[in-house]
Amino acid sequence: MSPAVLNTIEVFLNGLMAGVMYSLVALGFVLIFKSSGIFNYAQGVMALFAALTLVGFQTGQIPFAHLINVVFGTDYHHWGEGMNTVLAIILTMLIMILLAWIVEKLVLRYLVNQEPIILFMATIGLAFFLEGLGDLMWGANIKVLNVGLPSGGSFWWEDVTRTWASEGSDYYGMYIDVLDVWAAGIAVVLVVALTAFSQFTKTGRALRAVADDHQAALTVGISLRTIWVVVWSIAGFVALVAGIMWGAKSGVQFSLSLIALKALPVLILGGFTSIPGAIVGGLIIGVGEKLFEYSVGPMIGGATENWFAYVLALFFLMFRPQGLFGERIIERV
């Protein structure tokens, strides 16, 4: 094959990997919307907060150290060398479960049967609160996250693909980030597990019942408060996984919360109520923006990855607003 064809294949594969990373964030949105009817604008910030907390535990950083030092005139920043990665992940997950309980206790319990726009605005407020809390707890500096996953290019894949080029051509092989491959595998496992949970468990069916009608779910004995704690806890776990992958790839920084904006086109394409749709939508966005940047970007000045996904989502809204896998909702008035 010619180097031009191989380069196109490389761009396509890297687009698939980027799409999986987008899908990890979109999963949290779909999970909460599918089970509670709430579009959780705070999902991206939850990924950031989880990643900050994980790094804090790993490095032995004292939460609120800056505030404590200002109030008491001390100079403490770390309580030790940190803890084992597995233990840090477990403790971070417990923190996300506690966060889910607090959100239900202080926010959601007062919004039962409220209009969707009110619930949406509540999650916007939650997003800003969590971002400020993360800054206050762990500081705003960029942090390195290492959970032991391999990263960097695969030399084996480069050696294999180098042999695909035509003899005599100047081609050095395809670059694929090993971390992206791990993210793809983890995303597949998450999709299978969450789909099975939603379809085949009693709790999963209760989640869907709550999303359809809060009041009807209450009348048949479903505890709305318990369901919301469960679903926000699971979304917290998804946010932790997304935060680990994105944090390991680009560092834990406050711009990490902006990945929620890239998840919006993914949701529009895949559908707000479909877990597999989040994956398919992410792959379409990832591949589409990479191929468009590679083929058309140089002709129009580049930087097309910043807007391509939103233009594609706009076309979907015009012709199929429920997305590829979303359910068409008909409301009778």
Side-chain angles (χ1 to χ4, degrees):
M1 286 185 284
S2 67
V5 173
L6 291 171
N7 287 334
T8 302
I9 295 174
E10 179 183 348
V11 171
F12 178 84
L13 293 177
N14 278 285
L16 287 177
M17 300 299 106
V20 168
M21 300 289 276
Y22 296 149
S23 299
L24 284 175
V25 181
L27 275 176
F29 285 98
V30 170
L31 185 65
I32 290 184
F33 188 85
K34 184 179 179 66
S35 57
S36 63
I38 301 174
F39 179 79
N40 179 26
Y41 183 83
Q43 187 65 31
V45 183
M46 288 172 63
L48 167 67
F49 185 80
L52 286 171
T53 304
L54 177 58
V55 173
F57 286 146
Q58 282 184 310
T59 58
Q61 184 178 349
I62 299 175
F64 303 104
H66 178 74
L67 181 62
I68 293 173
N69 291 334
V70 169
V71 173
F72 297 101
T74 56
D75 190 28
Y76 298 116
H77 298 280
H78 294 81
W79 49 263
E81 296 182 356
M83 62 179 63
N84 177 272
T85 298
V86 175
L87 180 59
I89 291 175
I90 293 174
L91 287 180
T92 302
M93 189 62 243
L94 292 177
I95 293 294
M96 299 307 290
I97 293 174
L98 176 62
L99 175 64
W101 182 82
I102 293 174
V103 168
E104 191 283 326
K105 190 78 172 177
L106 300 181
V107 181
L108 296 180
R109 65 180 297 186
Y110 301 106
L111 300 178
V112 176
N113 281 334
Q114 295 294 326
E115 294 295 326
I117 186 62
I118 295 178
L119 294 168
F120 173 63
M121 294 301 293
T123 65
I124 292 178
L126 178 63
F128 284 106
F129 172 78
L130 283 179
E131 191 165 351
L133 180 63
D135 187 3
L136 195 62
M137 287 182 66
W138 308 110
N141 56 307
I142 299 176
K143 300 172 176 60
V144 177
L145 176 59
N146 182 13
V147 293
L149 293 177
S151 60
S154 171
F155 296 109
W156 171 82
W157 183 247
E158 289 182 7
D159 292 337
V160 168
T161 54
R162 188 181 297 119
T163 62
W164 295 355
S166 303
E167 188 174 350
S169 60
D170 189 17
Y171 185 72
Y172 299 99
M174 296 183 189
Y175 178 86
I176 295 292
D177 196 322
V178 180
L179 180 63
D180 291 342
V181 177
W182 273 90
I186 291 172
V188 170
V189 173
L190 274 178
V191 169
V192 173
L194 291 175
T195 302
F197 174 80
S198 176
Q199 298 294 330
F200 304 113
T201 65
K202 182 179 179 181
T203 303
R205 290 190 293 270
L207 295 180
R208 300 202 306 274
V210 168
D212 289 338
D213 192 321
H214 294 174
Q215 199 62 42
L218 288 171
T219 59
V220 297
I222 297 176
S223 173
L224 187 60
R225 296 181 60 182
T226 301
I227 290 299
W228 272 350
V229 170
V230 169
V231 71
W232 279 73
S233 297
I234 298 175
F237 171 72
V238 175
L240 173 59
V241 174
I244 289 174
M245 294 304 168
W246 279 97
K249 185 178 180 66
S250 57
V252 180
Q253 50 192 312
F254 277 77
S255 62
L256 187 65
S257 63
L258 299 179
I259 60 176
L261 299 180
K262 188 55 75 72
L264 293 179
V266 173
L267 294 169
I268 292 172
L269 265 66
F272 282 79
T273 59
S274 173
I275 293 174
I279 296 297
V280 175
L283 296 180
I284 293 174
I285 292 294
V287 171
E289 68 180 15
K290 295 294 184 184
L291 288 177
F292 191 83
E293 174 68 27
Y294 175 71
S295 59
V296 181
M299 294 185 289
I300 59 176
T304 61
E305 291 186 42
N306 295 328
W307 54 261
F308 173 82
Y310 302 99
V311 174
L312 183 60
L314 178 61
F315 279 104
F316 264 77
L317 285 174
M318 293 170 60
F319 300 105
R320 190 176 175 83
Q322 74 270 27
L324 293 173
F325 298 89
E327 301 170 359
R328 182 182 293 272
I329 300 175
I330 301 175
E331 295 186 359
R332 291 178 173 84
V333 294

